[in-house]
Amino acid sequence: DRHVLLLVAWADLTYQEVADALSIPIGTVRSRLNRARRKVRASLSGAHPSLIADIAPEAISHG
């Protein structure tokens, strides 16, 4: 999950590029990214909103 999140959020790879880089199906990329986003949201649920905005906002809300 972490690898997918990092490749999408910080390396700015497309889902297909992530799938190719990790040798996994694109559907697996989508499910891992969804799971990772849920974990990030849960971890940041009590954080100050300005901190959440500073931590790769595209990783949380980017489709």
Side-chain angles (χ1 to χ4, degrees):
D1 298 351
R2 181 181 305 173
H3 292 114
V4 171
L5 181 64
L6 292 174
L7 289 171
V8 170
W10 283 295
D12 202 30
L13 297 182
T14 66
Y15 291 3
Q16 187 60 58
E17 290 169 331
V18 173
D20 294 342
L22 298 177
S23 299
I24 58 176
I26 196 166
T28 302
V29 171
R30 288 185 176 118
S31 64
R32 289 183 185 179
L33 186 57
N34 182 52
R35 188 171 38 243
R37 286 176 176 157
R38 283 184 296 168
K39 288 178 184 178
V40 168
R41 282 188 202 108
S43 295
L44 298 176
S45 65
H48 190 275
S50 66
L51 293 176
I52 295 171
D54 290 341
I55 302 175
E58 65 277 3
I60 298 170
S61 63
H62 172 256

